[in-house]
Amino acid sequence: MTIHKEGTASLFITFGVLFVFNLALSRLISDQVLIRQGFVVVSVILFLVVLQFFRNPKINLTKDPTLVIAPADGKVVVIEETVEDEYLKEKRIQVSIFMSPINVHINRNPVAGIISYFKYHPGKYLVAWHPKSSTENERTTVVYKLSSGVEILIRQVAGAMARRICWYIKPSQKVEQGSEFGFIKFGSRVDLYLPLGTEILVDKEQKTKGGVTPIARLKA
């Protein structure tokens, strides 16, 4: 288990604020030992809570060109047909994974291919399960073009707590299945838009593990 690079600044700031707070408190109530010790315990717990947001566990990646692998840890909250109208302009099967604050927040490429489209959209911070969060929240849209010519679209969607989406990809870049493509701080949601006829291998409410859980099997 290591700490993800996106956590460096947040952890440093959190530690600094808690340290200064406890230092000031120790001077203000130097005679109240139990109260000071209580705040130290609370501060340690708060720091550990922030620390777990940025954990980066080692995993055995699933790699299979016929499969779409989960891009994130979380729970499947949507499996339905919908129209993707930003780039694909056609009906697709949408599979959405909700990332809670206790999940690992790393996002991984669900397939191998070329990034044929990327766009960042600033926006609102509605709760991640809100019906309009996919179109109104802060988000990114990423499209992978497979060797077969099929395109898979994925969308990082910020939630009510998330205030920063990170990405490490760019158009025309070749990517490997399972490698990191982004990070969403403090939880949110990831949407996949798959071709009609794709065999879905998960059920609603099923938990997923990014880079490991097969989400769907592509048509040959």
Side-chain angles (χ1 to χ4, degrees), residues 68-81:
V68 178
I69 305 300
D73 286 22
K75 181 173 68 175
V76 178
V77 293
V78 172
I79 302 176
E80 64 183 17
E81 283 192 18

Side-chain angles (χ1 to χ4, degrees), residues 11-220:
L11 291 170
F12 180 79
I13 292 170
T14 301
F15 179 83
V17 169
L18 292 174
F19 179 81
V20 171
F21 174 78
N22 280 276
L23 183 63
L25 194 67
S26 67
R27 294 179 177 179
L28 289 172
I29 54 172
S30 57
D31 57 333
Q32 302 292 326
V33 177
L34 289 179
I35 294 177
R36 288 192 288 111
Q37 289 178 341
F39 275 104
V40 169
V41 171
V42 171
S43 296
V44 170
I45 293 173
L46 286 173
F47 183 77
L48 291 176
V49 168
V50 175
L51 182 68
Q52 69 88 31
F53 286 143
F54 298 102
R55 68 192 189 278
N56 184 9
K58 292 183 179 180
I59 60 173
N60 294 318
L61 298 172
T62 302
K63 292 196 176 186
D64 187 329
T66 69
L67 297 176
V68 178
I69 305 300
D73 286 22
K75 181 173 68 175
V76 178
V77 293
V78 172
I79 302 176
E80 64 183 17
E81 283 192 18
T82 188
V83 175
E84 199 296 306
D85 56 9
E86 178 183 343
Y87 174 84
L88 298 169
K89 310 291 185 182
E90 63 183 19
K91 279 191 175 182
R92 286 279 171 134
I93 302 173
Q94 177 181 340
V95 179
S96 297
I97 298 171
F98 173 69
M99 304 164 61
S100 77
I102 63 172
N103 289 128
V104 173
H105 299 116
I106 297 168
N107 297 151
R108 298 183 179 276
N109 296 309
V111 293
I114 303 293
I115 304 299
S116 57
Y117 176 84
F118 173 84
K119 188 170 184 179
Y120 168 75
H121 304 267
K124 301 178 181 178
Y125 297 99
L126 303 172
V127 291
W129 56 85
H130 193 287
K132 293 185 178 181
S133 64
S134 292
T135 55
E136 295 189 10
N137 277 19
E138 178 191 9
R139 62 198 183 279
T140 66
T141 301
V142 184
V143 179
Y144 300 85
K145 189 169 186 177
L146 283 60
S147 58
S148 63
V150 171
E151 289 185 309
I152 303 294
L153 187 146
I154 189 170
R155 188 166 283 136
Q156 295 172 290
V157 183
M161 290 181 64
R163 288 296 184 273
R164 186 184 173 198
I165 294 177
C166 307
W167 61 88
Y168 319 126
I169 51 176
K170 57 185 179 181
S172 301
Q173 180 180 343
K174 185 176 182 180
V175 298
E176 295 182 2
Q177 189 176 45
S179 61
E180 291 185 31
F181 82 86
F183 193 99
I184 312 179
K185 293 188 176 182
F186 304 112
S188 52
R189 171 173 148 175
V190 179
D191 297 337
L192 279 161
Y193 292 85
L194 308 170
L196 297 182
T198 299
E199 179 187 1
I200 305 301
L201 303 176
V202 291
D203 300 310
K204 285 185 68 174
E205 305 299 317
Q206 180 176 332
K207 292 183 179 180
T208 63
K209 189 172 182 62
V212 177
T213 306
I215 295 295
R217 188 181 304 278
L218 298 168
K219 291 192 298 184

